[in-house]
Amino acid sequence: MCNLNQGFKLCSCDSDQLTPDEIGWILERKNAVKQASSLRGKPFIYKMNQSEQALKSEVVQQLNQRNCFDFDYQPQEDDFLRIRGNKKSFWMAFRYQQGRWEEDESTKFNRWRQQLENYNKGIITH
């Protein structure tokens, strides 16, 4: 896994052939026609440590300053991007709103998240 602080590229190469452990990022797009159901339960909310929060802040800054994708992509309102951090189980979430990527803390219980569909995925490179 590359060091995200040093710059990164979200590569979509061979995305259909990647195993779940190889996937470093997932991009989803909202489908307003898709029905959202009422989910019940208690969501697990991961508490980031200081270095993880700093990394997430750095990543969102890079997403807003340059094109981090290796394919022709124009973000749309409510696009949802997850990027794997420096640990296999640490995923950072970002939502595109009002022309900018923002850090996202929503859970699968948020109705808009239930309308998301896979758009693209891949690995992270330098």
Side-chain angles (χ1 to χ4, degrees), residues 57-112:
S57 296
E58 174 64 29
V59 169
V60 76
Q61 185 177 22
Q62 289 185 51
L63 288 168
N64 286 314
Q65 289 178 346
R66 62 184 181 83
N67 180 12
C68 296
F69 298 89
D70 77 337
F71 58 98
D72 188 24
Y73 167 65
Q74 292 297 321
Q76 293 184 9
E77 192 75 8
D78 290 325
D79 278 1
F80 186 68
L81 175 65
R82 289 181 289 147
I83 299 177
R84 190 187 308 258
N86 295 333
K87 296 186 285 187
K88 283 207 180 264
S89 61
F90 170 55
W91 286 82
M92 301 172 284
F94 307 94
R95 183 179 181 187
Y96 194 79
Q97 292 192 294
Q98 299 179 353
R100 294 189 53 77
W101 287 103
E102 297 179 354
E103 296 180 29
D104 184 76
E105 301 296 328
S106 66
T107 70
K108 67 181 180 180
F109 292 96
N110 294 87
R111 290 183 66 85
W112 70 271

Side-chain angles (χ1 to χ4, degrees), residues 106-123:
S106 66
T107 70
K108 67 181 180 180
F109 292 96
N110 294 87
R111 290 183 66 85
W112 70 271
R113 290 248 327 243
Q114 296 174 41
Q115 294 178 295
L116 295 173
E117 294 180 341
N118 287 332
Y119 186 79
N120 211 339
K121 64 183 177 231
I123 61 171

Side-chain angles (χ1 to χ4, degrees), residues 38-54:
S38 295
L39 293 178
R40 293 185 178 183
K42 184 176 181 179
F44 170 77
I45 299 175
Y46 181 82
K47 298 290 184 195
M48 286 185 255
N49 62 39
Q50 278 187 312
S51 65
E52 290 168 340
Q53 184 57 53

Side-chain angles (χ1 to χ4, degrees), residues 4-18:
L4 296 173
N5 289 327
Q6 304 299 316
F8 60 90
K9 196 68 149 172
L10 301 176
C11 178
S12 59
C13 45
D14 299 324
S15 63
D16 292 335
Q17 299 174 9
L18 297 174

